[in-house]
Amino acid sequence: MNAKYALALILALQVSMSMCDIATPSPELVQKYDEMKSVFYQRLLTAYGKLQAVAAPYVETIGDSERGQKAKDFIEDLQTKPEFQAFVKVAR
């Protein structure tokens, strides 16, 4: 039984050591990744812009009710938080 544990430990150590030798990616792969990442962020910004354009008329009239005013206050409070500002900065 101890031999099985020893064998399992040796195999686990071999796998963990082989994962330490990560090869550097080719420049073409890095360039492709950067292009895909920028396209993804651009699509996120486009979707956000479209959502904002559709929601703008509703947001204008939502402040009339009490629940709407609470939601508006929450959104304004959210926009002042540094976590949200960091997310927006990364998204741009």
Side-chain angles (χ1 to χ4, degrees):
M1 192 69 165
N2 287 337
K4 289 181 183 179
Y5 290 131
L7 180 62
L9 178 64
I10 291 170
L11 290 175
L13 288 174
Q14 284 181 339
V15 169
S16 67
M17 290 303 293
S18 67
M19 293 181 77
C20 293
D21 301 328
I22 298 174
T24 57
S26 66
E28 297 88 19
L29 185 62
V30 172
Q31 181 183 3
K32 186 175 180 180
Y33 171 76
D34 289 338
E35 289 172 0
M36 292 177 117
K37 185 169 82 170
S38 67
V39 167
F40 175 72
Y41 285 139
Q42 188 62 36
R43 287 182 180 174
L44 277 178
L45 286 174
T46 303
Y48 176 73
K50 288 180 181 179
L51 178 68
Q52 191 175 21
V54 169
Y58 298 111
V59 172
E60 299 276 332
T61 60
I62 203 165
D64 298 339
S65 68
E66 182 181 338
R67 290 177 67 194
Q69 187 61 38
K70 287 182 181 179
K72 195 173 185 181
D73 292 341
F74 174 75
I75 296 297
E76 289 173 355
D77 183 48
L78 180 67
Q79 289 177 347
T80 61
K81 291 187 177 184
E83 296 90 3
F84 181 77
Q85 292 174 354
F87 173 75
V88 171
K89 188 176 183 180
V90 167
R92 290 184 183 189

